[in-house]
Amino acid sequence: MLNIHNLSVSFGGSYLFEEVTFRLGAGDRVGLVGKNGAGKSTMLKILAKDFAPDSGSIAQEKEVRMGFLRQDIDFEQGRTVLEEAYEAFIDIKVVEKKLEEINHLLVTRTDYESDEYSQIIEDLSDYTHRFELLGGYNYVGDTEKILLGLGFKREVFNNQTETFSGGWRMRIELAKLLLQANDVLLLDEPTNHLDIESIIWLESFLRNYAGVVVIVSHDKMFLDNVTNRTIEISLGKAYDFNKPYSQYLELRHEIREKQLATQKNQAKKIEETEKLIEKFRAKASKASMAQSMIKKLDKIERIEVDEDDNSVMNISFPLSKVPGRVVIEADHVTKSYGDKTILKDISLLVERGSKIAFVGQNGQGKSTFIKAIVNEFEYEGDIKLGHNVQVGYFAQNQAEYLDGEITLLQTMEDAASDTNRSKVRDMLGSFLFRGDDVEKKVKVLSGGERNRLALCKLLLQPINVLVMDEPTNHLDIKSKNVLKAALQKYEGTLLLVSHDRDFLQGMSNIVYEFRDQKIKEYLGDVNYFLEQRNLENMREVEKKDALKAAAPKDSNKASYEEQKKGKALQNRLSKVESQIKQVEKDIQNDDKMLASNYNKNIEDASFFKAYNKKKAELDKLLLDWEKVQDEIDKA
């Protein structure tokens, strides 16, 4: 489908990558990985033809449709969520509009025997057939299914897109790409703005995707669950294996170990040969043999070992002082924005040394509660910090708090105290900012580099309670592993918001799920939470929640009457769907009859009466379907 041959890109005289070659075919789900700055996003832009390489070529089959999830999006104001998602179906919408015009003409015109009317009937048949081929009868349902999968509720489908945050707008853009049936999907950090439920849904969708998928992601578990191939860009080279990320790492390690062993054996043989050459050179009788050995030695192809970029951060979070037993006590905390209540009567006690993870869908109040703890805004209720508590806060948009016009060194010196100001250069070095890097202005840093700088700056203050909101955003996999190890060794209290399941594994002993203005406690780590919530199927989760909400507190099962009611609603829905399918089929048959026997049908007044009756019946059935679906959603 795509052939990439000898691609090279250089910046400032040094190569980002050089003479990279690979091929992409149907069914390939590629994880494009590497450290921050290795060239992953640049490679995606080249594949999408947003950026031209210095040299090399890309050959692709004709009429290949390519979709690219960019990090910067621009929506037209005034559209609802559904209207924006429907932009994925440009061809269908054009045909649908034409059919509306034709149907209007059929109702209003009476010159049944004219050539113009005959042409209208033919156009109806042609456009109806084209509408069917394009999937016109399915696009509304497909759109709703994908929006629901990505975390949107039905009640917000008709809200204007400008009322949503950048993260939710990115979800709408992702929905459009998934609906377009592209041959090639290029996804740059698709999980950055998704919660755990939506990530699991997206994994399932992409596993069944027939075309090519190329994913840049630092979510190790997402890559393992979706990809069947890994291309790593490291130190200007590309390493390509038909394995998911974790298996690829093991395989590459084995290959490198074999290369080292073979190189060592070769070096030993070369050393022995060189000794013989020196020995034979001194003897006239052996001089010709020495020359022969020299020629053979020159022809030997020296074994090279793949270079590996193992430079990583060096992080540790020292404990400033030991706080009291209770470090945070929240009592009936409520927070609303206008008419919308995010948190309601939240009470929580955090003891010294606890490792707590906050999880749940976006918009359910995790970051809001974190901000209430660090007193970023006013709220109802009370939050008390315990004796000797010193909070270190890493915000989700921490990088935005950095001044882009000053240097890295100045950023650190301004935040330092008299006791640690002399250490800032060493601290920057441990976060991979060395030499002249410290004199760069913050505004030229990548997202991952800004996150590293923000983490480094955080260590300048005394901390015994760490509050971290999505600290892994923009960090590459190696950096995330280093951060995870540092947090696991941290002896203080940790409150962590994250949607990265691999990062969360083994990080907490308590998980709080935020849902519907409340919190629910799970005594374990994220694996225990996932098992309890059965998040492999998000739809099943929603149905279970609905049944549990109505059940007695001492029972985990819905009553017989509730099960009976739910089953009856599902049966009603299936019946209405079957009726809709049959009426749509009857209308299609009538459209074909109109196209083939229009003269006869024109004379038969009862035909049009029956035809319009079927259309009215279809409208009524669609309304019935919405009502039943609403009942199921509310159950």
Side-chain angles (χ1 to χ4, degrees), residues 96-129:
E96 187 176 54
K97 191 172 186 301
K98 189 66 179 176
L99 281 172
E100 288 174 3
E101 293 171 1
I102 292 171
N103 282 317
H104 177 71
L105 289 173
L106 285 173
V107 173
T108 57
R109 292 184 65 147
T110 57
D111 54 336
Y112 303 131
E113 297 183 8
S114 68
D115 291 340
E116 290 84 353
Y117 199 86
S118 173
Q119 185 61 49
I120 292 171
I121 297 298
E122 287 183 23
D123 290 346
L124 175 65
S125 177
D126 291 341
Y127 279 101
T128 299
H129 181 62

Side-chain angles (χ1 to χ4, degrees), residues 12 28 99 126 160 182 205 305 360 424 509 604 606 633:
D28 280 342
L99 281 172
D126 291 341
Q160 302 284 312
N182 291 294
F205 183 95
V305 178
V424 294
N509 47 32
D604 187 359
S606 62
D633 291 341

Side-chain angles (χ1 to χ4, degrees), residues 426-437:
D426 291 336
M427 292 176 69
L428 284 166
S430 68
F431 279 77
L432 306 183
F433 299 116
R434 300 183 179 117
D436 293 339
D437 287 344

Side-chain angles (χ1 to χ4, degrees), residues 585-626:
K585 188 176 179 182
D586 291 343
I587 291 172
Q588 286 180 48
N589 289 335
D590 286 352
D591 288 337
K592 290 175 184 176
M593 286 177 66
L594 270 172
S596 58
N597 301 304
Y598 67 93
N599 282 329
K600 182 180 176 182
N601 292 325
I602 286 166
E603 294 169 1
D604 187 359
S606 62
F607 176 86
F608 276 104
K609 186 176 180 182
Y611 181 75
N612 290 327
K613 186 178 178 182
K614 288 172 188 173
K615 287 202 164 187
E617 184 183 355
L618 179 61
D619 290 340
K620 182 180 179 300
L621 286 169
L622 289 170
L623 285 172
D624 290 344
W625 184 90
E626 287 183 13

Side-chain angles (χ1 to χ4, degrees), residues 3 174 176 218 271-272 302 341 376 386 393 409 453 492 508 592 597:
N3 279 311
L174 178 57
K176 285 161 63 177
H218 297 137
E271 185 182 359
E272 290 172 354
R302 306 295 170 111
T341 300
E376 276 208 358
Y393 173 46
L409 184 60
L453 178 60
S508 65
K592 290 175 184 176
N597 301 304

Side-chain angles (χ1 to χ4, degrees), residues 359-406:
V359 301
Q361 289 186 328
N362 289 341
Q364 293 293 326
K366 304 182 298 298
S367 296
T368 301
F369 188 63
I370 288 283
K371 289 175 182 176
I373 290 173
V374 297
N375 207 26
E376 276 208 358
F377 47 60
E378 293 184 359
Y379 53 87
E380 296 177 39
D382 189 34
I383 296 179
K384 294 178 182 176
L385 299 182
H387 177 64
N388 278 343
V389 168
Q390 295 174 319
V391 176
Y393 173 46
F394 187 93
Q396 186 173 356
N397 57 342
Q398 186 72 43
E400 294 176 14
Y401 289 91
L402 301 172
D403 186 347
E405 297 301 324
I406 63 175

Side-chain angles (χ1 to χ4, degrees), residues 62-255:
K62 289 182 180 179
E63 298 180 359
V64 168
R65 296 184 59 175
M66 194 174 297
F68 182 21
L69 181 67
R70 296 170 175 83
Q71 291 301 309
D72 51 330
I73 54 175
D74 186 22
F75 286 167
E76 183 179 311
Q77 289 198 352
R79 287 183 186 148
T80 65
V81 173
L82 276 178
E83 287 169 344
E84 187 62 47
Y86 289 157
E87 289 297 301
F89 305 102
I90 295 172
D91 294 341
I92 290 177
K93 298 299 287 181
V94 169
V95 176
E96 187 176 54
K97 191 172 186 301
K98 189 66 179 176
L99 281 172
E100 288 174 3
E101 293 171 1
I102 292 171
N103 282 317
H104 177 71
L105 289 173
L106 285 173
V107 173
T108 57
R109 292 184 65 147
T110 57
D111 54 336
Y112 303 131
E113 297 183 8
S114 68
D115 291 340
E116 290 84 353
Y117 199 86
S118 173
Q119 185 61 49
I120 292 171
I121 297 298
E122 287 183 23
D123 290 346
L124 175 65
S125 177
D126 291 341
Y127 279 101
T128 299
H129 181 62
R130 190 176 174 196
F131 188 70
E132 186 176 356
L133 287 176
L134 290 171
Y137 295 109
N138 303 319
Y139 83 91
V140 173
D142 289 344
T143 301
E144 292 188 3
K145 183 164 58 175
I146 284 181
L147 287 173
L148 290 169
L150 290 174
F152 289 91
K153 302 293 184 186
R154 287 184 185 277
E155 52 264 33
V156 304
F157 281 1
N158 292 312
N159 291 4
Q160 302 284 312
T161 57
E162 54 262 33
T163 63
F164 291 88
S165 66
W168 282 99
R169 282 194 244 181
M170 189 64 75
R171 292 190 191 208
I172 300 172
E173 187 67 16
L174 178 57
K176 285 161 63 177
L177 280 182
L178 301 184
L179 287 164
Q180 283 170 356
N182 291 294
D183 301 301
V184 180
L185 263 183
L186 307 174
L187 305 178
D188 194 358
E189 295 289 359
T191 63
N192 260 8
H193 302 285
L194 300 182
D195 49 62
I196 292 176
E197 295 184 15
S198 299
I199 290 171
I200 291 173
W201 178 90
L202 182 60
E203 286 175 354
S204 176
F205 183 95
L206 293 177
R207 277 197 297 267
N208 297 310
Y209 197 79
V212 174
V213 183
V214 182
I215 304 167
V216 170
S217 178
H218 297 137
D219 187 328
K220 177 175 170 287
M221 189 173 289
F222 179 74
L223 289 172
D224 282 343
N225 289 340
V226 172
T227 62
N228 53 21
R229 181 177 169 190
T230 301
I231 298 176
E232 180 180 11
I233 299 176
S234 177
L235 300 173
K237 293 184 178 181
Y239 300 90
D240 185 358
F241 289 90
N242 290 321
K243 298 286 183 184
Y245 181 73
S246 293
Q247 293 180 37
Y248 159 72
L249 283 182
E250 293 175 10
L251 189 57
R252 191 178 169 202
H253 177 71
E254 290 174 11
I255 289 171

